[in-house]
Each structure stands twice: as C-alpha cells, then as structure tokens.
C-alpha cells in the first residue's frame, strides 16, 4: 500500500483572528453605547451634578433648550429647530414693528398642540442665576406644559463610612 | 527554471478573512465618528404646579383638588445657599434631606400621601442653578414626588 505524504501547510500571512475578535467586541460596544441619529441640540456645558435622575426614552418628543447668559443679563436660549442640524437662538420676546412677539412661547404652544406627549428639557450651566431660568419656566407654564426636565451630570454617590 | 516548492500542495486553512476585516474596520470607524455619548447625563423630572394667579397661571381642570403645598425658600448665603421650609433652616443639602424626610413622615401620619404634597422651591433671583438643583434633589431623595419651582422673590 502506497503511503501518501501529508501536504505542507503554508500559512499565508499574519493570523488576523485575534484582531477580528477585538474589533467585533469594539463594534458591539459602540453599537450598544452610541446614540446614532438622535440629535437633540444639546450643547456641551458645565451642568450641575446629581446622584438622582432618570433617563428619557422618547427623546423624539422633547425640545432641548440650552440656556446661557446673554447680553444685558438676559437669557440666551438656543434650540434645534425641526429638520435642521444647527442650533439657533430663540428669543423670549421681540419687537417687530411695534408689536411684541414671544417666539419661544409660540414654539412651545405649537409643539404642545400637535404632540400631547411633548416635554421640554432645560440645560443650563450650574453657575447661572435663577433669574435667567425663570422666564423659560414661565413660558413653559404659559404654554400649558407640565413636564419639564432638567439635565444634570450623573455622579456616583460617595457616602463616608 | 523550475522551483521544487511550486509542485508541493498548498492549502489555506479556512476562508479568506481579508474582506471581512475591511468591512468590519469601516463599520468601526463609522461608529466611532458618528456616535455621540450621553451616558453621563440624566434628568430631574419636574411638574409645573397649577397656578391660578401670577405669570404662569393656568386654568385648573374640572374636579381639581389642590395639593398640600410645602414651600422651600432658597436664598444665597456666601458661596452656598440657605433653605427655609417652615421651621427648618439649613445650609447643607444633606441636612435638608433629613429634615424633609421627617416632614414627609409627619405628612403621612396626618394622612397625606407623598403624591398629594406639592413641594415648591421658591428661589431668590440670584440663587445659583446648581444650588437649586441640590435642593431639588434633596426633596426627591426625601421621598417627595412632586417638586417644582416658583417665581423668584
């Protein structure tokens, strides 16, 4: 009986199996953690820190208002209009030809009319005075909104033993 | 010219993984560039109490019964704040939480459940937002469920 020799095994290049393992883990991580396609208009700022807090699942029903200190100690509110990609400033009130308009209130009222689950998210830096946040809360109240959410930075509880 | 090695049998162990690596790398780079991370932020949910007077007044629904209100007055004090609620006067969020917890127990003993108590934080104009959020969190930690802000004093 003729014995067949074993063929020579020739490795063709670098073994990429560990690379694929790591890359697959990274992809799964990014797919789970990253929020893709959700643009809320949230601007980076130094938020107040809290231990308590909730997550909002239906971010599609929200409007994020970024409150900054504007000129003349007035609030400067930035938001992301629908179907746009860049934040715009929205005035609390403005004079157009002698007539006073309330753009923020009008936007909130329109959103409330079309979406009963509409809610507002307020983002403000921690050193802001209440006098700059109060007019926004008043606009929300005037628009008959009763679900207002304050964004805070999540911190872990450290209680002394 | 002939090479003896070319006559030998060669075989690759397994499929060719190069296209897979290419595609996977492209997906990875896409996710890294496009993804945004908001895991370190969360929200304090507030309600706006029904007010029949003042700038934020609303018309109450039919059959509406007003909740018992607990007002916490917050004013700046040095680099911090001072919170006053009834006989409570504290300058620390943890003390405030303990005192509010006791008040909630008193409400419950009197037959008022936490969801029928509306906590209203009444800040001064120049109170820092950070301190208001601390007071807010103290009220939530104490067990109150309805917390809202009032107009400034």
């Amino acid at each position: 009986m003729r014995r067949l020799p074993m063929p020579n095994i020739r490795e063709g290049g670098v073994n990429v199996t560990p690379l694929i393992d790591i890359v697959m883990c990274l992809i799964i991580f990014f797919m789970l953690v990253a929020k893709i396609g959700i643009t809320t208009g949230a601007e980076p700022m130094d938020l107040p820190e809290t231990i308590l807090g909730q997550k909002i699942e239906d971010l599609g029903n929200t409007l994020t208002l970024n409150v900054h200190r504007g000129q003349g100690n007035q609030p400067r509110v930035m938001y992301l209009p629908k179907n746009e990609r860049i934040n715009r400033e929205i005035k609390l009130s403005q004079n157009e030809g002698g007539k006073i308009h309330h753009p923020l209130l009008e936007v909130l009222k329109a959103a409330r009319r079309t979406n009963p689950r509409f809610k507002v998210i307020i983002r403000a830096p921690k050193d802001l005075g209440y006098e700059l946040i109060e007019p926004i809360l008043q606009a929300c109240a005037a628009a008959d909104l009763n679900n207002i959410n304050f964004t805070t930075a999540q911190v872990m509880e450290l209680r002394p033993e | 010219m002939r090479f003896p090695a070319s006559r030998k049998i060669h075989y690759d162990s397994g499929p060719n993984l190069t296209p897979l690596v290419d595609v996977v790398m492209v997906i990875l780079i896409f996710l890294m560039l496009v993804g945004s991370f908001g895991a370190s932020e969360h929200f304090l949910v507030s309600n706006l109490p029904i007010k029949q007077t003042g700038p934020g007044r609303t018309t109450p629904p039919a059959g509406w019964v007003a909740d018992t209100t607990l007002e916490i007055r917050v004013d700046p004090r040095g680099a911090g704040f001072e919170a006053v609620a009834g006989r409570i006067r504290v300058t620390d969020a943890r003390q405030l939480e303990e005192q509010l917890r006791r008040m909630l127990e008193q409400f419950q003993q009197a037959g008022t459940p936490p969801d029928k108590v509306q906590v209203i934080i009444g800040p001064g104009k120049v109170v820092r937002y950070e301190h208001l959020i601390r007071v807010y969190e103290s009220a939530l930690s104490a067990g109150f469920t309805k917390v809202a802000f009032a107009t400034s004093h």
Side-chain angles (χ1 to χ4, degrees), chain B residues 19-152:
Chain B
L20 174 70
V21 174
D22 291 347
V23 172
V24 160
M25 280 297 194
V26 168
I27 294 170
L28 180 65
I29 292 164
F30 169 76
L31 287 171
M32 287 173 77
L33 292 176
V34 171
S36 60
F37 302 92
S40 61
E41 290 179 5
H42 54 185
F43 305 93
L44 293 181
V45 182
S46 170
N47 69 320
L48 281 181
I50 292 173
K51 285 177 67 184
Q52 291 170 293
T53 54
R57 63 183 178 274
T58 50
T59 311
W64 173 70
V65 180
D67 292 330
T68 307
T69 55
L70 169 63
E71 285 197 41
I72 306 174
R73 189 184 165 101
V74 187
D75 285 297
R77 170 165 284 214
F81 67 93
E82 182 187 64
V84 180
R87 285 171 294 172
I88 299 173
R89 185 180 288 269
V90 289
T91 54
D92 176 68
R94 196 144 283 172
Q95 286 174 11
L96 179 65
E97 182 189 327
E98 284 169 18
Q99 298 287 342
L100 288 175
R101 190 166 282 141
R102 282 182 204 151
M103 286 183 99
L104 182 64
E105 283 170 10
Q106 288 169 5
F107 275 120
Q108 285 173 322
Q109 283 165 7
T112 310
D115 62 326
K116 291 289 173 195
V117 182
Q118 174 71 63
V119 177
I120 296 175
I121 300 170
K125 277 190 186 298
V126 292
V127 179
R128 282 163 63 107
Y129 179 53
E130 170 187 30
H131 297 145
L132 293 178
I133 290 292
R134 274 198 205 149
V135 172
Y136 194 116
E137 191 182 26
S138 300
L140 288 182
S141 301
F144 290 101
T145 53
K146 285 181 173 175
V147 188
F149 290 110
T151 46
S152 59

Side-chain angles (χ1 to χ4, degrees), chain A residues 32-46:
Chain A
L32 291 176
V33 173
K35 291 176 180 174
I36 297 164
I38 300 170
T39 316
T40 58
E43 294 175 356
M45 60 177 74
D46 193 13

Side-chain angles (χ1 to χ4, degrees), chain A residues 12-33:
Chain A
V14 185
N15 182 15
V16 290
T17 315
L19 172 72
I20 292 173
D21 291 347
I22 292 165
V23 165
M24 280 295 190
C25 284
L26 285 172
I27 282 187
I28 291 164
F29 167 77
F30 278 111
M31 286 175 78
L32 291 176
V33 173

Side-chain angles (χ1 to χ4, degrees), chain A residues 8 23 51 55 130 134 148, chain B residues 8 24 41 46 137 150 152:
Chain A
N8 293 333
V23 165
I51 298 160
K55 296 284 174 200
Y130 181 64
E134 187 180 6
I148 296 168
Chain B
K8 288 180 182 171
V24 160
E41 290 179 5
S46 170
E137 191 182 26
S152 59

